């Protein structure tokens, strides 16, 4: 597994790399397998079998499992073994889709609307991103999103005044915001589909005000996603900051070295 020149030891051929490096490599492979659903039922084999599968010593496997445990990905209990703490779900970055759309088949996504109202003076950066004229207001929506009742992400969205006002006037909007992705609502109010979005992903430590609603300790690793979505005609209509629990979601994409094939 190491891809390094081996040396012969009393137990046979072993890697010449330090054990810490071999443990990190084993942890990388195991993480990929766990997030890919390689262990049905969420239970990992014992250290001996994992060592055989990975071509690593039991000590390296033990250290690799300790790394994954520190990440919050697995738990280890005497008499029970090593189990996955919670399933990780994939969210593709190669298609503009809402969270509920992306997680179809993985459970029910619900939204707690924490804020929904007019912002007379949006932050200058937001106003610039949305191309708002001087003095124009916006509408802010903040939702705590859950998958099967467990916190998954905290989303804060700014909408241009006309789109936001259209949502505010919409009958039953409170229920819709709690049950639907915002993208579909924007498209219905705007009368045209979304076309594209620019996305930036950062790995950050969760601040206390973010960690508390997400149900994780302050300082936990999370994904911070900045997204600016445009309508099909190019107009920016959704400036969004999303904080996602990194222990519950993986970000995935299919990338092509050349132009994507037809239909991709």
């Amino acid at each position: 597994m190491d891809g390094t020149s081996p040396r012969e030891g009393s137990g046979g051929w072993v890697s010449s790399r330090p054990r810490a490096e071999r443990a990190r490599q084993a942890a990388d492979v195991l993480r990929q397998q766990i997030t890919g659903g390689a262990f049905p039922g969420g239970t990992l084999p014992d250290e001996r079998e994992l060592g055989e599968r990975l071509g690593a010593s039991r000590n390296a496997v033990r250290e690799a499992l300790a790394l994954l445990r520190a990440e919050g990905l697995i738990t280890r209990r005497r008499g029970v073994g090593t189990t996955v703490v919670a399933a990780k779900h994939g969210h593709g970055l190669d298609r503009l889709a809402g969270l509920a759309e992306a997680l179809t088949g993985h459970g029910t996504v619900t939204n707690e609307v924490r804020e929904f109202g007019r912002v007379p003076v949006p932050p200058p950066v937001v106003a610039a991103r949305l191309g708002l004229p001087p003095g124009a207001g916006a509408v802010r929506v903040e939702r705590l999103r859950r998958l099967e009742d467990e916190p998954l992400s905290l989303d804060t969205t700014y909408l241009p005044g006309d789109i936001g006002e259209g949502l505010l006037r919409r009958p039953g909007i409170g229920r819709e915001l709690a049950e639907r992705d915002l993208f579909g609502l924007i498209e219905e109010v705007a009368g045209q589909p979304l076309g594209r979005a620019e996305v930036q992903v950062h790995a950050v430590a969760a601040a206390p005000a973010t960690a508390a609603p997400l149900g994780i300790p302050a300082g936990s690793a999370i994904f911070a996603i900045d997204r600016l979505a445009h309508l099909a005609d190019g107009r920016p209509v959704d400036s969004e900051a999303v904080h996602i629990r990194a222990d519950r979601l993986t970000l995935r994409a299919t990338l092509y070295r050349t132009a994507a094939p037809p239909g991709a």
Side-chain angles (χ1 to χ4, degrees):
M1 183 188 73
D2 300 305
T4 59
S5 299
R7 59 181 174 81
E8 190 174 15
S10 58
W13 292 93
V14 297
S15 171
S16 61
R17 287 179 177 266
R19 192 168 72 196
E21 290 190 27
R22 287 182 276 128
R24 173 181 53 78
Q25 291 177 343
D28 288 343
V29 174
L30 285 172
R31 189 184 301 106
Q32 292 169 358
Q33 292 181 318
I34 290 170
T35 58
F39 303 107
T43 301
L44 278 63
D46 61 26
E47 293 175 358
R48 178 190 58 78
E49 184 176 341
L50 285 174
E52 292 175 356
R53 291 188 184 188
L54 299 172
S57 69
R58 289 188 67 176
N59 285 336
V61 169
R62 189 173 296 118
E63 291 187 20
L65 294 174
L67 292 173
L68 297 178
R69 183 179 183 181
E71 292 177 14
L73 190 59
I74 61 171
T75 184
R76 309 196 73 193
R77 289 182 290 174
R78 186 179 300 276
V80 176
T82 303
T83 56
V84 178
V85 171
K88 275 199 171 189
H89 306 286
H91 190 317
L93 292 179
D94 45 8
R95 176 174 175 265
L96 182 54
L99 189 64
E101 291 178 281
L103 296 179
T104 298
H106 293 290
T108 302
V109 175
T110 56
N111 312 301
E112 174 191 331
V113 182
R114 294 165 56 88
E115 183 179 352
F116 178 40
R118 299 174 181 86
V119 181
V121 183
V125 172
V126 170
R129 281 163 60 87
L130 291 175
L132 302 179
V139 169
R140 181 167 57 212
V141 184
E142 181 175 283
R143 298 188 296 175
L144 176 63
R145 315 199 70 185
R146 293 184 171 90
L147 177 63
E148 294 297 292
D149 294 328
E150 287 293 322
L152 181 61
S153 72
L154 183 64
D155 304 5
T156 302
T157 301
Y158 286 88
L159 306 168
D162 60 322
I163 301 294
E165 291 293 337
L167 289 180
L168 286 168
R169 292 192 299 267
R170 191 179 176 97
I173 184 59
R175 175 181 53 79
E176 288 191 300
L177 285 174
E179 297 176 353
R180 295 182 57 187
D181 281 331
L182 192 54
F183 284 168
L185 295 172
I186 292 173
E187 290 175 325
E188 291 174 12
V189 170
Q192 62 173 297
L194 293 167
R196 73 178 197 279
E198 292 89 37
V199 178
Q200 296 185 64
V201 181
H202 312 272
V204 302
T210 300
L214 288 176
I216 55 177
S220 298
I222 60 173
F223 294 121
I225 300 179
D226 295 325
R227 181 166 58 198
L228 180 63
H230 303 252
L231 293 173
D233 64 9
R235 181 191 177 195
V237 291
D238 181 324
S239 177
E240 190 171 11
V242 183
H243 293 90
I244 299 179
R245 284 179 52 165
D247 63 334
R248 300 206 63 205
L249 200 74
T250 58
L251 302 175
R252 297 175 178 170
T254 300
L255 306 177
Y256 297 90
R257 187 168 177 82
T258 57

